[in-house]
Amino acid sequence: MSQVEIMAPAGSFESLAAALQGGADSVYFGVGKLNMRSRATVNFTEDDLPEIVSRCHESNAKAYLTLNIIVYDEELAEVRRLCDSALSAGIDAVIASDLAVITYAHSIGLEVHMSVQANVCNMASVKFYAQYADVVVLARELSLSQVRHIIEGIKKDDVRGPSGQLLRVEIFAHGALCVAVSGKCYMSLAAYNSSANRGACFQNCRRAYRVTDDETGNEMVIDNKYVMSPKDLCTIQVLDQILDAGVSVLKLEGRGRSSDYVRTITSVYREAATACEEKTFSAEKVDTWLERLSSVYNRGFWQGGYYLGVKWGEWSGSAHSRATMMRVHIGKVTNFFKKSNIAEITLEAGGLAVGQTIIVAGPTTGSVRVEVTTMQVETEQGMQATEHASKGSVICIPVPELIRRRDRVYLLRPRTLEDA
């Protein structure tokens, strides 16, 4: 592991594989209802813990279990059982904010990392949580000077976690921001009785709203109707300053995103962190990294976020993704020839041409981008070279990485106005 830890999200085995492909030093994920993404359509189960740990450790990465929701008395037995299972499976740490979770995990020797939900903003809080935690996530609303001050205070006062090591500081580096401080929002609870603090947010803040005077019926004109939907945080332009402040862990948001998203953001921040360490970080590289980050899901980027000292967020201006590229399902892998790295693909839902780019994705494969340089299509006379294959065709193309049968195949194409 390098000096800075790149911590990537995973909401499925497919995105877990993508995170490891992207060079993640650690991966964080949730299990069942006891995490902040419990409404996700794809989620891990308690039985998956040994497999997750095995995959992470094989790639020299750590596995972190999120247990960062509010916990009620009737759930304490389940929380304790899950912590026991995590310890038995070899989970490297749990991410938590509720003291019931923190104290129990600590009592059984399971490493604890403080969640952003704890809203840690000062040295007094840092010293308190250091009794239980080896890593503290600072509030996203802090400025970089405040982050630096806390890190310097940790070194000056020799603040150490239960492991005996100097307390490490983690910050959110990329991804979706909540309109509420540290994500503690009650809007979804009020509207749908579905609590964001229980991992069941409906994200109704992301919609457009009008403000109406009940007495007159007049509507207030708002310049930006998405006034509760912040742009996504992006720190790639100021990553050198962040690491210079002494931040140890960069957390990337996106447990509900696609495997291509996970691999892209992980690899970009891994490259950028390495460039900072090797003193090769430059404006030219930042431009390239931004182009790659812009190609996958985003609501527009707020460069630097609150870390640059701005006290008011930037609003997305749209309810849709601003990704420059989008993927469209066109088929599946029906065979793969390891010796020649040739994939046989059945085009079930669309055509493909030489010069286009596809994404191959699967629970073990992760996410693999392929530039189609040559292609052969199955005919009555056998396989023949072609520049274009239509829907229903069976084709063979060379691929740069190992893929598998039954992997899904997507065409990657520029996003247009019609896609908005």
Side-chain angles (χ1 to χ4, degrees):
M1 187 179 295
S2 64
Q3 292 178 350
V4 61
E5 179 179 333
I6 304 298
M7 184 177 172
S12 65
F13 277 112
E14 184 176 302
S15 57
L16 171 63
L20 298 174
Q21 287 171 323
D25 298 302
S26 59
V27 179
Y28 69 102
F29 53 90
V31 167
K33 68 178 183 179
L34 296 174
N35 75 95
M36 293 298 288
R37 292 295 182 273
S38 61
R39 284 192 69 248
T41 54
V42 179
N43 224 327
F44 294 109
T45 68
E46 189 174 333
D47 292 338
D48 292 326
L49 292 179
E51 176 68 15
I52 295 169
V53 171
S54 175
R55 292 199 191 188
C56 288
H57 289 181
E58 283 176 5
S59 297
N60 295 317
K62 293 185 176 182
Y64 300 145
L65 173 66
T66 59
L67 271 169
N68 53 349
I69 64 164
I70 293 172
V71 176
Y72 297 114
D73 280 325
E74 61 269 21
E75 296 169 323
L76 288 178
E78 185 178 357
V79 166
R80 290 166 183 155
R81 190 195 72 246
L82 184 53
C83 285
D84 292 340
S85 296
L87 183 66
S88 177
I91 290 292
D92 295 287
V94 293
I95 301 171
S97 60
D98 192 302
L99 279 171
V101 181
I102 293 165
T103 54
Y104 182 75
H106 175 66
S107 73
I108 64 173
L110 185 57
E111 185 173 312
V112 176
H113 295 182
M114 291 308 305
S115 168
V116 71
Q117 297 289 112
N119 192 33
V120 177
C121 297
N122 55 68
M123 276 301 297
S125 295
V126 166
K127 290 180 177 179
F128 172 79
Y129 287 122
Q131 300 174 79
Y132 309 101
D134 287 291
V135 176
V136 172
V137 185
L138 298 184
R140 287 174 283 199
E141 295 76 23
L142 295 181
S143 67
L144 187 55
S145 62
Q146 290 172 314
V147 172
R148 184 188 294 273
H149 175 76
I150 289 173
I151 294 172
E152 290 174 349
I154 290 171
K155 295 176 181 177
K156 177 177 176 291
D157 295 343
D158 195 33
V159 181
R160 296 178 181 271
S163 68
Q165 300 297 312
L166 203 66
L167 191 73
R168 293 195 297 151
V169 166
E170 173 184 323
I171 67 164
F172 269 82
H174 190 88
L177 285 173
C178 178
V179 67
V181 173
S182 289
K184 289 193 172 183
C185 182
Y186 295 88
M187 187 174 182
S188 179
L189 178 66
Y192 299 105
N193 195 33
S194 187
S195 175
N197 302 300
R198 299 276 297 166
C201 184
F202 271 87
Q203 296 195 341
N204 38 327
C205 59
R206 301 294 183 185
R207 304 172 190 164
Y209 288 92
R210 298 177 182 179
V211 179
T212 304
D213 185 328
D214 282 342
E215 291 188 9
T216 65
N218 293 333
E219 292 183 353
M220 183 179 294
V221 176
I222 302 174
D223 289 340
N224 178 0
K225 57 186 177 181
Y226 298 96
V227 293
M228 292 182 288
S229 181
K231 290 182 179 179
D232 289 357
L233 172 65
C234 179
T235 63
I236 202 72
Q237 287 183 316
V238 294
L239 198 65
D240 54 341
Q241 299 175 50
I242 288 173
L243 298 187
D244 183 64
V247 170
S248 299
V249 185
L250 299 174
K251 188 170 194 172
L252 311 178
E253 191 275 338
R255 278 190 284 151
R257 302 285 173 239
S258 70
S259 56
D260 184 49
Y261 171 93
V262 172
R263 180 166 183 173
T264 299
I265 65 168
T266 303
S267 61
V268 165
Y269 277 87
R270 174 71 277 157
E271 290 174 23
T274 300
C276 289
E277 292 169 358
E278 296 176 348
K279 309 298 182 185
T280 59
F281 188 89
S282 67
E284 292 75 20
K285 287 185 176 181
V286 167
D287 289 342
T288 300
W289 293 324
L290 275 174
E291 184 176 351
R292 287 165 60 189
L293 292 172
S294 299
S295 72
V296 293
Y297 190 99
N298 70 86
R299 295 185 179 91
F301 293 136
W302 183 17
Q303 300 290 349
Y306 293 104
Y307 301 131
L308 297 184
V310 180
K311 298 301 181 184
W312 195 257
E314 293 183 8
W315 309 113
S316 64
S318 171
H320 306 285
S321 171
R322 292 189 177 184
T324 58
M325 305 294 289
M326 68 176 295
R327 61 182 201 171
V328 180
H329 179 257
I330 59 171
K332 67 181 179 184
V333 177
T334 46
N335 210 344
F336 178 66
F337 306 96
K338 284 186 179 180
K339 289 184 179 180
S340 55
N341 267 25
I342 297 294
E344 178 188 275
I345 297 170
T346 299
L347 298 176
E348 303 170 312
L352 184 65
V354 170
Q356 292 183 313
T357 301
I358 60 172
I359 293 174
V360 182
T364 305
T365 297
S367 177
V368 177
R369 288 198 183 196
V370 181
E371 306 292 333
V372 182
T373 55
T374 62
M375 178 167 52
Q376 290 189 319
V377 64
E378 188 178 77
T379 68
E380 292 181 357
Q381 291 76 37
M383 302 301 294
Q384 293 186 357
T386 184
E387 292 291 311
H388 180 273
S390 58
K391 175 182 174 181
S393 299
V394 176
I395 63 170
C396 285
I397 62 170
V399 296
E401 298 179 39
L402 177 65
I403 62 174
R404 292 157 182 85
R405 291 181 182 181
R406 293 186 293 278
D407 283 347
R408 299 180 307 282
V409 179
Y410 301 90
L411 173 66
L412 190 65
R413 65 168 177 79
R415 184 179 291 271
T416 65
L417 290 175
E418 288 75 16
D419 299 316

